[in-house]
Structure formats: structure tokens, C-alpha cells
Amino acid sequence: MYNKLRPNRSTKKELILMAQELLQNIQEKLLSESLVFLNPEKACQALFHVLLNILQDLSIPYSDDLLIKFIFHTSFALERCIRKEPFVYPKARILIKQHATLFNVLEKNFEIITELFSVQIPASEMGYVIEIFLPYYQQNEES
């Protein structure tokens, strides 16, 4: 089910409650069987709050598809970073340069993840995160 909530129709609290069931399913049915080093519940909850803050900072409405993309990529990115095996993504530096405002918002919001998991998220991984948000961010700028 594709769920898109408008910030003016739903409070942050309502949005959190509606997304928790999907987040719980992702955590229990998928991530708990795939993540080796990370606690899936801790990772999901922390990343979910980071996502909500990013959406608020960029004025992007919540959607289930964005939640799924973000949680999947960032959970496995954290796992790769803990193993010191981040993705190599040559396009990342170009994306960061072209979308500096978006990158700065992401970087600011990922500070808590860096502190919580004692891991640095390299530019190559952030390039993929930029690509996750780019269609929503560009669509929002055009409106």
C-alpha cells in the first residue's frame, strides 16, 4: 500500500504511528535475518527518526516507498561501514557538488547515526542517499 501523508493533514505523531507497522515488518521480517552486526530495532528506530527530520527539513511529504528505500539502504550502509567495506560510488562526489544543499541536510541529520553507532558514513554511501531523496527533493522544489 502506497501511503502519502501531507504534513498539514497529519501531525508528526500520527505519521509516526501509521509508519510504525511498516517499520516493524521491515525490521522483523527482513532486517533481522540479514543484518549481522547491527541491532535491527535500534537501527530502524534511529534511522526512522533521521528520515522524519530530513523530510521536515526538506519539506518533503512522508511516503511508504521513501521509508522502505531509506531504511533498506541506510541499514545495510551502516552494516558495510561497520565492516569497513562501504560501497565505492564514483558518481558520489559529483552528486554532492551538484546538490550541496541536499547533502548538507543529510549530513547534519546523520550526525546522530555517526554518534550512536560510532561509525563514519563516507561520501560514497551518502551519494546513494542523495539519489534516494533526489526525485522527491526536485519534485518539491518544482511545486
Side-chain angles (χ1 to χ4, degrees):
M1 179 181 181
Y2 178 78
N3 185 14
K4 193 171 187 177
L5 300 174
R6 300 266 178 232
N8 58 353
R9 288 192 197 157
S10 298
T11 66
K12 190 173 181 178
K13 187 175 181 178
E14 289 170 332
L15 186 145
I16 290 169
L17 291 174
M18 293 174 76
Q20 283 297 331
E21 185 178 345
L22 175 59
L23 196 62
Q24 190 76 23
N25 285 332
I26 292 169
Q27 174 192 313
E28 289 175 0
K29 295 178 180 168
L30 302 165
L31 296 180
S32 64
E33 296 177 16
S34 303
L35 296 175
V36 177
F37 298 106
L38 284 177
N39 174 321
E41 182 178 1
K42 180 179 177 182
C44 277
Q45 291 304 315
L47 290 167
F48 178 60
H49 289 288
V50 167
L51 173 63
L52 292 179
N53 289 335
I54 291 168
L55 294 177
Q56 184 175 347
D57 288 352
L58 297 175
S59 299
I60 296 173
Y62 168 85
S63 67
D64 286 347
D65 69 321
L66 185 54
L67 171 73
I68 292 165
K69 290 174 190 174
F70 181 79
I71 295 294
F72 267 90
H73 175 73
T74 54
S75 295
F76 290 109
L78 276 173
E79 183 103 342
R80 286 189 298 274
C81 292
I82 289 170
R83 290 190 325 251
K84 300 193 184 320
E85 299 172 357
F87 273 152
V88 175
Y89 187 46
K91 218 173 126 180
R93 297 244 180 250
I94 294 166
L95 283 168
I96 290 168
K97 189 175 181 179
Q98 289 176 337
H99 305 286
T101 303
L102 176 55
F103 173 73
N104 291 335
V105 168
L106 296 175
E107 189 175 50
K108 176 190 82 162
N109 283 289
F110 267 86
E111 287 174 1
I112 188 70
I113 298 300
T114 300
E115 292 173 20
L116 191 59
F117 294 98
S118 301
V119 67
Q120 200 61 36
I121 311 294
S124 58
E125 292 287 0
M126 291 306 285
Y128 280 109
V129 179
I130 288 171
E131 283 199 330
I132 290 170
F133 283 96
L134 209 47
Y136 306 92
Y137 181 66
Q138 290 173 330
Q139 180 182 13
N140 195 45
E141 282 192 323
E142 292 170 3
S143 316

